[in-house]
Structure formats: structure tokens, C-alpha cells
Amino acid sequence: MPTTFPVTLPPVPADPEAAWHAERVGDTAYERPDDGRSSATTVFAIDATSPDEAELRVLAWINHSYEDDLRRATATAGHQAGPHRWHVSLRILGEF
């Protein structure tokens, strides 16, 4: 089930890229529909024990490490990429 920000996020380790093996695995896709609700969607890979934990970790990592405005952002774990590893799609609404 997708996780929408704001939510209570887990603590972020000092180096989430190393601790969670967090990485971006795809280019950002931009949508600019006529109704004016633009969005950007990027796929990440991250270590986690469940899809829910993977979604929360991606939101926590991006919120901690980048200056993106995550209000109404949605993280969705798409599929398990390996043992305890998930691909998570992050959709951010905004002016792009």
C-alpha cells in the first residue's frame, strides 16, 4: 500500500546510502498534465524487511538528504529486488 507524506519517519542513519544501500535506479519521469498538477517520479532501491519499511525509508532518506518538498509525496514499493531489497517509486507533486 502506498505511503503518503507526512508520516512519522524512522530515524535516518548518518550515511543512509551505505547503511540502507539506498540508491536511485532510474531517471526521473515528469508529468505535466493540463490540470496543472505536475509531478516527478523516480525509482529507488533500498534495503528493508518489508515493503512498508522500504517506503518509509525512502521518504526518510529523501527528506533527510535532499531539499525536496515532500508534502503529498507518495512512495510505493513496486517489487522485491532481492532478499530484503525493494524498488520504491517516489512521486512528488510540485512545479516542475
Side-chain angles (χ1 to χ4, degrees):
M1 172 188 275
T3 302
T4 301
F5 190 85
V7 295
T8 301
L9 298 173
V12 178
D15 185 357
E17 289 89 349
W20 293 337
H21 299 106
E23 64 180 325
R24 181 176 163 158
V25 294
D27 293 332
T28 300
Y30 298 94
E31 294 181 42
R32 295 178 181 93
D34 292 336
D35 70 4
R37 296 185 56 91
S38 300
S39 67
T41 303
T42 308
V43 176
F44 299 92
I46 198 160
D47 289 354
T49 58
S50 71
D52 292 336
E53 181 181 49
E55 293 168 1
L56 289 171
R57 282 185 172 185
V58 165
L59 287 168
W61 170 43
I62 299 303
N63 188 57
H64 174 268
S65 300
Y66 299 93
E67 295 181 10
D68 292 333
D69 180 358
L70 293 182
R71 286 177 290 178
R72 300 181 325 225
T74 303
T76 306
H79 69 277
Q80 195 166 6
H84 302 290
R85 187 148 180 87
W86 298 86
H87 281 176
V88 178
S89 173
L90 179 65
R91 182 172 184 254
I92 300 173
L93 301 177
E95 299 297 319
F96 300 101

